[in-house]
Amino acid sequence: MAENKSTSARAASAASSKTEADIQAQIDQLRGDIANLTKLIGDLGSEKASQARARAEKLRDDATKAGQEAYDRARDEALSMEEDLEDRIRMKPLQSILIAAGVGFLAALFTRR
């Protein structure tokens, strides 16, 4: 009977150490899984940040291009209007001088009061 108790104790001790080893192995596996998940989440965040940065840069470039095009169109229009005005002044110089004098006279009247 003593031998039977000794065998049972060894079996229980072996089962206990096997269980502890299994638990330790599962804990190690969980640590590895958590490390892999952390890396995956970090990579995903970096990828999303890169995509957002690329979209922001594209929007900035598009806005810059649209602004430059609007500036160029306005500049071309102003130059065209200036050329038209010069042509009209050359065609009718006396009328242009009289109009300029009239505008100056009206401006003087408005600023006096």
Side-chain angles (χ1 to χ4, degrees), residues 105-113:
F105 179 74
L106 289 174
L109 280 177
F110 289 131
T111 57
R112 245 188 215 173
R113 296 180 182 180

Side-chain angles (χ1 to χ4, degrees), residues 22-38:
D22 288 343
I23 291 173
Q24 187 61 42
Q26 288 178 355
I27 289 172
D28 291 341
Q29 184 178 1
L30 283 173
R31 283 184 182 146
D33 290 345
I34 290 172
N36 288 339
L37 283 173
T38 303

Side-chain angles (χ1 to χ4, degrees), residues 69-106:
E69 288 173 356
Y71 170 77
D72 290 342
R73 281 192 308 270
R75 183 175 169 266
D76 291 344
E77 186 67 28
L79 290 173
S80 175
M81 289 173 57
E82 180 185 5
E83 289 172 1
D84 289 345
L85 183 60
E86 287 177 0
D87 290 343
R88 288 184 183 175
I89 291 172
R90 285 193 180 110
M91 288 172 44
K92 300 180 180 179
L94 184 59
Q95 184 182 10
S96 300
I97 291 173
L98 291 174
I99 290 173
V103 170
F105 179 74
L106 289 174

Side-chain angles (χ1 to χ4, degrees), residues 1-15:
M1 182 134 186
E3 206 175 291
N4 196 8
K5 285 184 183 180
S6 168
T7 310
S8 295
R10 276 188 244 151
S13 174

